[in-house]
């Protein structure tokens, strides 16, 4: 696999901060193949439905949900399977992606291998969430993504605002309790919410894929090095609010991490995910066309803290004081 692809995959796992705001388009699969479609699907207004769902013969709706703190989230609905018909009131299922990706990450394969379409074909009313800050959820009632205040949130706010807003909307539209499928960060926010008794009255069941509650047992060399670098906290102190994982600085950052003893960037994919039976070059190429997505620096700082909590307090305070002294001499 080319070094550039490996670096792109690393950007998905552990990225550097870049304060940049630019539109991103969705790239879709042509029907029945793993190849990229010849045309770029423009338009967040058309978004995931047009690029990756209706082209396969499924009905799909693009919807919006506004959180209590003003973020306007993109939400897709696949109300029935490709054949259609069947029950009038299908059970609703909400699928929630993980960190640094968006709802498009569920649609990187052919329909028979994409979870939302499998669920729709098996009688579910499928709803796909897109977390604040990702390409189709970069709007707010009063803030703009170019403003640091837009990025002033962590997964705490996803627990307090995003998930409740989406649950309320889906429950209000369907009148039924919700089956929930979360991946990675999508499991963390669910566990945090359910443990506080939130949303449980609207919940039918929960399936957690790669569940996480804390990261202190993570042992991949790249992950440990990146977390200990406190990249998020350093850049937060300099006012960089958006964690944008694409661009030249990512490559430079990864090269510096790869120089650490024990970090093997030529076996990077296995180092992040473990042995993987099911990825091929076409899938990886499509992933890199669509992902990774932005999140807030504050969000990744919060995640990093769960890994290095025991050493965090002293090191961060020392670093903070040092930077204050340094800035006062400049």
């Amino acid at each position: 696999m080319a070094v550039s692809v490996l670096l792109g995959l690393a950007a998905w796992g552990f990225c550097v901060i870049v304060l940049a705001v630019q539109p991103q388009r969705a790239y879709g699969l042509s029907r029945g193949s793993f190849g990229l479609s010849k045309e770029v699907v423009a338009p967040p207004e058309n978004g995931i439905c047009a690029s990756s769902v209706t082209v396969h013969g499924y009905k799909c709706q693009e919807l919006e949900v506004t959180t209590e703190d003003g973020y306007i989230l993109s939400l897709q609905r696949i109300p029935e399977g490709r054949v259609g018909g069947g029950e009038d009131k299908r059970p609703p299922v909400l699928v929630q992606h993980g960190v640094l990706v968006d709802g498009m990450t569920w649609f990187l394969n052919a329909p028979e291998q994409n979870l939302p379409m499998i669920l729709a074909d098996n009688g579910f009313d499928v709803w796909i969430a897109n977390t604040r800050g990702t390409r189709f959820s970069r709007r707010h009632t009063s803030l703009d993504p170019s403003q640091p205040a837009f990025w002033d949130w962590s997964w705490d706010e996803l627990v307090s605002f995003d998930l409740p807003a989406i649950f309320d909307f889906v429950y209000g539209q369907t009148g039924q309790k919700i089956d929930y499928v979360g991946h990675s960060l999508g499991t963390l926010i669910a566990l945090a919410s359910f443990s506080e008794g939130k949303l449980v009255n609207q919940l039918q069941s929960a399936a957690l894929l790669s569940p996480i509650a804390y990261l202190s047992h993570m042992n991949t060399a790249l992950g440990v090095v990146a977390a200990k670098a406190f990249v998020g906290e350093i850049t937060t102190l300099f006012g960089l609010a958006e964690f944008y994982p694409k661009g030249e600085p990512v490559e430079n950052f990864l090269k510096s991490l790869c120089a650490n003893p024990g970090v093997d960037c030529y076996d990077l994919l296995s180092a992040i995910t473990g042995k993987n039976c099911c990825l091929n070059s076409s899938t990886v190429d499509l992933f890199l066309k669509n992902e990774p997505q932005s999140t807030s620096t504050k969000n990744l700082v919060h995640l990093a803290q769960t890994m290095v909590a025991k050493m965090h307090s002293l090191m961060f305070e020392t670093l903070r004081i040092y930077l204050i002294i340094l800035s006062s001499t400049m």
Side-chain angles (χ1 to χ4, degrees):
M1 187 179 292
V3 172
S4 60
V5 173
L6 288 172
L7 290 172
L9 285 167
W12 165 42
F14 293 95
C15 313
V16 71
I17 301 297
V18 181
L19 186 60
V21 178
Q22 65 183 52
Q24 299 177 52
R25 298 178 174 182
Y27 291 76
L29 290 170
S30 57
R31 184 187 299 271
S33 76
F34 282 93
L36 291 174
S37 59
K38 292 183 179 179
E39 296 184 357
V40 175
V41 178
E45 57 264 28
N46 291 336
I48 291 173
C49 281
S51 69
S52 302
V53 182
T54 58
V55 293
H56 293 296
Y58 293 81
K59 294 180 180 178
C60 188
Q61 298 171 273
E62 292 281 356
L63 304 164
E64 292 179 352
V65 177
T66 302
T67 66
E68 283 190 12
D69 58 346
Y71 289 85
I72 302 170
L73 309 179
S74 172
L75 184 68
Q76 289 75 40
R77 182 185 190 182
I78 306 175
E80 60 186 32
R82 188 153 37 181
V83 176
E87 300 178 24
D88 290 335
K89 293 195 74 173
R90 293 170 169 247
V93 57
L94 173 65
V95 293
Q96 172 65 59
H97 61 80
V99 69
L100 297 176
V101 295
D102 64 357
M104 183 65 189
T105 197
W106 300 106
F107 297 99
L108 299 181
N109 294 315
E112 60 273 13
Q113 297 174 322
N114 288 333
L115 180 60
M117 293 171 176
I118 293 171
L119 291 169
D121 285 335
N122 282 274
F124 287 92
D125 177 5
V126 184
W127 302 73
I128 299 102
N130 294 269
T131 298
R132 63 178 67 187
T134 56
R135 92 187 99 176
F136 301 127
S137 297
R138 293 175 67 88
R139 290 187 295 148
H140 190 277
T141 54
S142 61
L143 299 173
D144 185 88
S146 63
Q147 299 173 299
F150 182 92
W151 301 98
D152 186 18
W153 52 268
S154 77
W155 58 263
D156 274 339
E157 281 67 35
L158 305 186
V159 172
S160 299
F161 299 109
D162 284 30
L163 204 57
I166 295 172
F167 259 74
D168 286 345
F169 184 82
V170 174
Y171 186 79
Q173 292 291 309
T174 65
Q176 300 183 73
K177 289 190 174 183
I178 299 162
D179 293 299
Y180 179 85
V181 179
H183 173 245
S184 189
L185 182 64
T187 72
L188 176 60
I189 62 176
L191 289 170
S193 179
F194 302 156
S195 69
E196 296 175 359
K198 297 177 181 177
L199 311 180
V200 291
N201 292 331
Q202 298 170 322
L203 180 70
Q204 180 67 31
S205 69
L208 307 182
L209 310 177
S210 302
I212 57 172
Y214 50 86
L215 300 173
S216 58
H217 292 295
M218 182 163 61
N219 56 16
T220 61
L222 182 63
V224 171
V225 169
K228 288 183 177 179
F230 289 97
V231 174
E233 285 145 332
I234 292 172
T235 50
T236 298
L237 289 173
F238 283 104
L240 299 177
E242 178 182 1
F243 193 101
Y244 180 70
K246 293 183 178 180
E248 186 177 345
V250 172
E251 182 175 348
N252 294 334
F253 172 64
L254 289 171
K255 284 179 178 178
S256 70
L257 292 184
C258 291
N260 281 269
V263 178
D264 182 2
C265 288
Y266 287 96
D267 191 21
L268 191 55
L269 185 57
S270 295
I272 294 173
T273 68
K275 297 296 181 183
N276 196 311
C277 67
C278 307
L279 283 179
N280 58 46
S281 59
S282 296
T283 305
V284 170
D285 287 345
L286 184 60
F287 175 85
L288 294 177
K289 284 283 188 180
N290 287 280
E291 317 290 358
Q293 296 290 318
S294 288
T295 187
S296 72
T297 302
K298 188 175 179 180
N299 188 33
L300 293 183
V301 169
H302 196 172
L303 288 170
Q305 287 170 349
T306 67
M307 180 178 178
V308 291
K310 292 181 180 179
M311 57 190 293
H312 167 262
S313 231
L314 177 59
M315 290 183 66
F316 179 64
E317 183 62 14
T318 302
L319 178 61
R320 185 182 68 83
I321 294 171
Y322 170 78
L323 289 173
I324 290 174
I325 296 172
L326 181 64
S327 63
S328 68
T329 61
M330 296 175 66

